[in-house]
Amino acid sequence: MDAKEASATDLKRPREEDDNTAASMETENGDQIKEPACFSSVIPGWFSEMSPMWPGEAHSLKVEKVLFQGKSDYQDVVVFQSATYGKVLVLDGVIQLTERDECAYQEMITHLPLCSIPNPKKVLVIGGGDGGVLREVARHPSVEHIDMCEIDKMVVDVSKQFFPNVAIGFEDPRVNLVIGDGVAFLKNAAEGSYDAVIVDSSDPIGPAKELFEKPFFQSVARALRPGGVVCTQAESLWLHMDIIEDIVANCREIFKGSVNYAWTSVPTYPRHLNLYQFMVVYCSGVIGFMLCSTEGPEVDFKNPVNPIDDSSSKSNGPLKFYNAEIHSAAFCLPSFAKKVIESKAN
Amino acid sequence: MDAKEASATDLKRPREEDDNTAASMETENGDQIKEPACFSSVIPGWFSEMSPMWPGEAHSLKVEKVLFQGKSDYQDVVVFQSATYGKVLVLDGVIQLTERDECAYQEMITHLPLCSIPNPKKVLVIGGGDGGVLREVARHPSVEHIDMCEIDKMVVDVSKQFFPNVAIGFEDPRVNLVIGDGVAFLKNAAEGSYDAVIVDSSDPIGPAKELFEKPFFQSVARALRPGGVVCTQAESLWLHMDIIEDIVANCREIFKGSVNYAWTSVPTYPRHLNLYQFMVVYCSGVIGFMLCSTEGPEVDFKNPVNPIDDSSSKSNGPLKFYNAEIHSAAFCLPSFAKKVIESKAN
C-alpha cells in the first residue's frame, strides 16, 4: 500500500459542532486567534483528545497559550503551552509529545533495542520527526550512521522552533534526514544493512495497521543484519490486548530470533509522529513496545549487554528515565497480559 | 489529631456553576434524575475528575447511567456505569474504583507486603471499604485474622450492592469489620500485634497529610511485630516527587528495617477509600506504594519469599495483575525518581 493514498476520513475524530462556548485565544505575540477546532470541542481553554478507538474516554490538558498552528501536506500541526505539562505538540488533534514526559517514551523506545546489542553502528529511525529518538540514539558512541525517514517536514521544523531540547537530536553529524515515506524507504534499503530499526510512528489501527503486519515487518527483517533488532511502538496492555496478540503472532512468524513485549509509563500517551494522519488511540498512561531480533547472534532483550555511558553525551542532557533496572523491569508483564503474550512469543 | 475534626472545606474541588449544559440522567429503573454536580462541570454525560492539587488536568469517563447517588456522614457517594471501564465508584467527585482496572491496585497494595514475609497471620487494613483489599488478603492461607477499620459504612454497603466481585472480600470468615476512625483504632491496637498493616486511604495532601507523617507511622510501627510490614498508597512519581521525598524521609526515621518505594500502572488512578473526605489528586496513570518493615527479621521487599498459591483461592477469582516478576519490577524506578528516593531510603 502506498500509505499516502489511504484516506483517513472515516477515522476522523468526531468533532463537536462549534458552538458559543468556543473562545478565541492569544498567540505568543498577543494576537487574538480563533482557537483550533480540537480545543473547543469540550470546554473553552481545554484541549481534549478523543478517539473513535476509545470513544468513552478523553484526556484533557489546560491550554494556556497557542504557540503555533499550521497545516502541512499531511496533518494539522498545533503547539500549545499547557498549564502542567509544558509545551505540547498536537497532530490532527492528538497529543504527540509533552515536555514533561517525553523522556520516558524517547528513552525507552531507543535504549531498549540499542542497549540489547553490542556496538550498534547503523541505525534507521522511521518517523520520529520531533528528533527525540535521534537525541537518544546519539548517546551511543558506537553508532556511526543514523538514517531517519520522516514524512512531514513541518513536524521537524516545528520541533526545531519550539522543542529545542528534543530537536537537538538533529544536530548530530551522524544523522542523515530523509523527508519521505518510511515504508518506501525501507523497501529500498540495502539488505542486512542496519543493526537496529526504530519505528516511532502511528498506531496499528485502521490503515496504519499495515505497519504492524507481515509485509512491513518483512521489510524490516530484510533490512536488518543477522541478529539485528527492531523496536516499534505497540499499544497499551490495558486497552488493546487483541491487537497486541495479533502483532506478537505476526512478529513470531517473521522474526526468527527473539520476540518480546515491553511496556512503560507515559502519562500523556505521546505518539511522536502520526505518519499518515490517522487517529491515535487513548493509551491509559502506559505504552508498549515490540522488540524483535532476526536470526543470528542471540539477543536477550531482558538483560541489556550495552549499558549507556551517560557521561559521554552531556550535550544531550542526562538520562531522565532509562536505566538498566527499568530496562529489565519493562519486560515484566501483568498476569492478564503475560498469559496471552507468552502463548504467542518466546 | 482526631481526623474527624479536620475540615476539608478549603480542599473542595472547585465545581463549575451549574449551567444550561447540565442534563438529567436515567437511573437503572428508567427514572429521570438530576445528574450529580460532578458530572455537569465539564460536558453533559461525562464525568470529569478535577483536583485543586492538579488544576490543569482532568480525567474524563463517559457516563452511561447513574446507578446510585447518596450522601453519607462523610462524603457524596456515586456509582455510575461508564462506557469503557465498567461500573465506577466516585466519592466526593473523585474516582475511587473502576471494574476494569481495580485489580492492579488491590492486588499490588496487598501482595507486595504479604508476599514479602513468610506466613502472615494477623493483618490490619485501614480504609479499603470496598472490600477489594480483603479479597486479596484472603488469598493467603496463612492468614488467621483480618481487622478492617473503615470510617464510612455507606461505602461498604454500596460496594456490596454494586461491586460484588470486589465486596466478596467481606464474606471471608476471618474478617472483623469495624466501622470507625482508623487513626484512633490504630492508637488503641495492642503493641506488636500485627504482621502487616495495609493503609488503603486518601492522599498525603492537606489534612490527610498526617497519615503520612511521623505520628501516624509511629502508631503503625508500634502495632507491628518485629519484622512486620506496612504498605501505604504513596502518590505518583510523575507528579509529586517532593511529597514522596518527605514520606520516604519520615519512614526512614521511624522504620528501622527496610524502607522502599514501589509503583505500578493504574489507568484511572483509583483510591479505594477517601477516608476523611479530602481531595484525591490526579495520578498520571501510575500509583506508588511505601513499603516499610520494623526492626527484626530482615525483609527484602524486592525478592518475595511468600508466593501466592493462586489455586487455593478459586472463590475469589484468579489473580489478574500480580505475579512474582511484577512484584520485583515494581521496585525498579525511573532515573529521575531513583536519585531522589535512594538518597533517602535504603
Side-chain angles (χ1 to χ4, degrees):
Chain A
M1 181 192 85
D2 180 349
K4 289 177 194 170
E5 285 173 9
S7 159
T9 313
D10 57 350
L11 285 172
K12 279 280 179 196
R13 186 171 55 87
R15 288 178 177 164
E16 306 286 325
E17 293 296 314
D18 280 357
D19 59 20
N20 57 8
T21 62
S24 67
M25 312 204 61
E26 222 171 86
T27 64
E28 219 166 20
N29 53 24
D31 296 338
Q32 292 289 320
I33 55 171
K34 189 173 182 328
E35 70 180 32
C38 59
F39 293 168
S40 59
S41 62
V42 171
I43 193 168
W46 286 70
F47 167 78
S48 190
E49 176 183 37
M50 293 168 85
S51 162
M53 290 302 304
W54 199 239
E57 188 145 5
H59 185 77
S60 305
L61 284 176
K62 191 163 195 307
V63 177
E64 294 208 325
K65 198 170 230 180
V66 177
L67 304 174
F68 177 86
Q69 286 190 66
K71 194 169 172 60
S72 75
D73 292 343
Y74 302 95
Q75 53 206 343
D76 292 325
V77 179
V78 171
V79 177
F80 69 86
Q81 181 71 45
S82 70
T84 46
Y85 274 87
K87 279 183 284 213
V88 179
L89 173 64
V90 182
L91 299 180
D92 274 347
V94 177
I95 295 173
Q96 305 294 311
L97 178 153
T98 81
E99 286 183 316
R100 187 179 181 120
D101 65 10
E102 55 93 13
C103 62
Y105 178 82
Q106 318 265 27
E107 293 182 16
M108 294 296 272
I109 199 172
T110 305
H111 304 307
L112 287 177
L114 295 190
C115 293
S116 296
I117 53 174
N119 299 310
K121 289 182 181 165
K122 201 172 170 198
V123 178
L124 169 61
V125 181
I126 302 282
D130 54 61
V133 170
L134 293 178
R135 177 191 69 199
E136 297 306 318
V137 175
R139 292 185 196 272
H140 290 266
S142 66
V143 169
E144 295 168 359
H145 186 86
I146 313 170
D147 283 326
M148 163 174 275
C149 187
E150 156 64 57
I151 205 164
D152 194 344
K153 187 169 179 297
M154 188 182 280
V155 174
V156 177
D157 294 340
V158 159
S159 185
K160 285 180 177 171
Q161 188 178 352
F162 295 101
F163 301 92
N165 294 333
V166 179
I168 191 174
F170 290 109
E171 292 171 22
D172 194 281
R174 294 166 289 181
V175 171
N176 169 45
L177 171 63
V178 176
I179 300 294
D181 175 0
V183 175
F185 184 92
L186 203 50
K187 275 185 188 154
N188 296 326
E191 195 171 334
S193 55
Y194 292 103
D195 297 291
V197 174
I198 297 170
V199 187
D200 177 14
S201 72
S202 57
D203 289 294
I205 309 292
K209 197 177 167 195
E210 301 194 26
L211 291 179
F212 290 78
E213 287 181 346
K214 287 182 204 169
F216 180 76
F217 282 123
Q218 275 159 344
S219 296
V220 172
R222 200 189 126 274
L224 285 171
R225 67 159 169 84
V229 293
V230 60
C231 181
T232 71
Q233 182 276 104
E235 293 306 306
S236 161
L237 291 175
W238 283 110
L239 304 183
H240 292 113
M241 274 310 298
D242 53 336
I243 295 170
I244 294 169
E245 198 174 348
D246 288 347
I247 298 170
V248 173
N250 287 337
C251 286
R252 194 83 189 83
E253 268 193 63
I254 308 289
F255 293 97
K256 299 302 185 190
S258 304
V259 174
N260 285 274
Y261 190 86
W263 66 321
T264 198
S265 152
V266 184
T268 55
Y269 351 97
R271 295 299 179 284
H272 293 255
L273 181 67
N274 197 346
L275 260 186
Y276 308 117
Q277 75 182 53
F278 306 143
M279 294 310 300
V280 172
V281 298
Y282 178 89
C283 257
S284 61
V286 302
I287 194 148
F289 306 100
M290 277 306 302
L291 286 138
C292 308
S293 68
T294 52
E295 198 167 8
E298 202 190 321
V299 179
D300 177 4
F301 283 108
K302 296 176 191 174
N303 295 297
V305 295
N306 181 31
I308 304 180
D309 178 6
D310 201 14
S311 63
S312 71
S313 56
K314 280 208 171 123
S315 62
N316 288 358
L319 285 170
K320 291 178 185 165
F321 193 90
Y322 179 88
N323 55 57
E325 278 187 5
I326 216 157
H327 179 127
S328 297
F331 294 89
C332 299
L333 305 180
S335 298
F336 71 84
K338 199 173 162 173
K339 262 181 238 158
V340 175
I341 289 173
E342 288 189 351
S343 70
K344 303 280 178 186
N346 58 348
Chain B
M1 180 191 85
D2 180 346
K4 289 178 192 169
E5 287 173 9
S7 160
T9 313
D10 56 350
L11 284 173
K12 279 281 179 197
R13 186 171 56 85
R15 287 176 179 166
E16 305 288 323
E17 294 297 315
D18 280 357
D19 59 20
N20 58 7
T21 63
S24 66
M25 313 206 57
E26 221 171 85
T27 64
E28 218 164 20
N29 53 25
D31 297 337
Q32 292 289 321
I33 55 171
K34 188 174 181 330
E35 71 180 34
C38 61
F39 293 169
S40 59
S41 62
V42 171
I43 193 168
W46 285 71
F47 167 78
S48 191
E49 176 183 37
M50 293 168 84
S51 161
M53 290 304 303
W54 200 240
E57 187 144 7
H59 185 77
S60 305
L61 284 177
K62 191 163 195 309
V63 177
E64 295 210 323
K65 198 170 232 181
V66 177
L67 304 174
F68 177 86
Q69 284 191 66
K71 195 170 171 59
S72 74
D73 292 343
Y74 302 96
Q75 53 205 343
D76 293 324
V77 179
V78 171
V79 177
F80 70 86
Q81 181 72 45
S82 70
T84 46
Y85 274 89
K87 279 183 284 209
V88 179
L89 173 65
V90 181
L91 300 180
D92 275 347
V94 177
I95 296 173
Q96 306 293 311
L97 178 153
T98 81
E99 286 184 315
R100 188 180 181 119
D101 66 9
E102 56 93 12
C103 63
Y105 178 82
Q106 317 265 27
E107 293 182 16
M108 293 298 269
I109 198 172
T110 304
H111 303 308
L112 288 178
L114 295 189
C115 293
S116 296
I117 53 173
N119 298 309
K121 290 182 181 165
K122 200 171 171 198
V123 177
L124 169 62
V125 181
I126 302 283
D130 54 61
V133 170
L134 294 177
R135 178 190 69 199
E136 296 307 317
V137 176
R139 292 185 197 273
H140 289 267
S142 67
V143 169
E144 295 168 358
H145 185 86
I146 314 169
D147 284 325
M148 162 174 275
C149 187
E150 157 62 57
I151 206 165
D152 193 344
K153 187 168 179 297
M154 187 181 279
V155 175
V156 177
D157 294 341
V158 159
S159 185
K160 285 179 178 173
Q161 187 178 354
F162 294 101
F163 301 92
N165 294 333
V166 179
I168 192 175
F170 290 110
E171 292 172 21
D172 193 281
R174 294 166 290 181
V175 171
N176 170 44
L177 171 63
V178 176
I179 300 295
D181 174 1
V183 174
F185 184 92
L186 204 51
K187 276 186 188 154
N188 295 325
E191 197 171 331
S193 55
Y194 292 102
D195 296 291
V197 174
I198 297 169
V199 186
D200 177 12
S201 71
S202 57
D203 288 293
I205 308 292
K209 198 178 168 196
E210 301 194 26
L211 291 178
F212 291 78
E213 288 181 346
K214 287 182 203 168
F216 181 76
F217 282 123
Q218 276 160 343
S219 296
V220 172
R222 200 189 127 275
L224 285 172
R225 68 157 168 85
V229 292
V230 61
C231 181
T232 70
Q233 181 274 105
E235 292 307 306
S236 160
L237 291 174
W238 283 110
L239 303 183
H240 292 114
M241 274 310 299
D242 52 335
I243 295 171
I244 293 169
E245 197 174 347
D246 289 346
I247 297 171
V248 173
N250 287 336
C251 286
R252 194 83 188 84
E253 268 193 62
I254 308 289
F255 293 96
K256 300 302 183 189
S258 304
V259 174
N260 285 274
Y261 190 87
W263 66 321
T264 198
S265 152
V266 184
T268 55
Y269 351 97
R271 294 302 180 281
H272 293 255
L273 182 68
N274 198 345
L275 259 188
Y276 307 117
Q277 75 180 54
F278 306 144
M279 295 310 300
V280 171
V281 297
Y282 179 88
C283 257
S284 61
V286 302
I287 194 150
F289 306 101
M290 278 306 301
L291 287 138
C292 308
S293 67
T294 52
E295 197 167 10
E298 202 189 321
V299 179
D300 177 4
F301 284 108
K302 295 174 192 174
N303 295 296
V305 294
N306 181 31
I308 304 180
D309 178 6
D310 202 14
S311 65
S312 73
S313 57
K314 283 208 170 120
S315 62
N316 289 358
L319 285 171
K320 292 178 184 164
F321 194 91
Y322 179 88
N323 56 57
E325 276 186 4
I326 216 158
H327 178 126
S328 298
F331 294 90
C332 299
L333 306 180
S335 298
F336 71 84
K338 200 172 161 172
K339 263 182 237 158
V340 175
I341 289 173
E342 287 188 351
S343 71
K344 303 280 179 184
N346 58 348

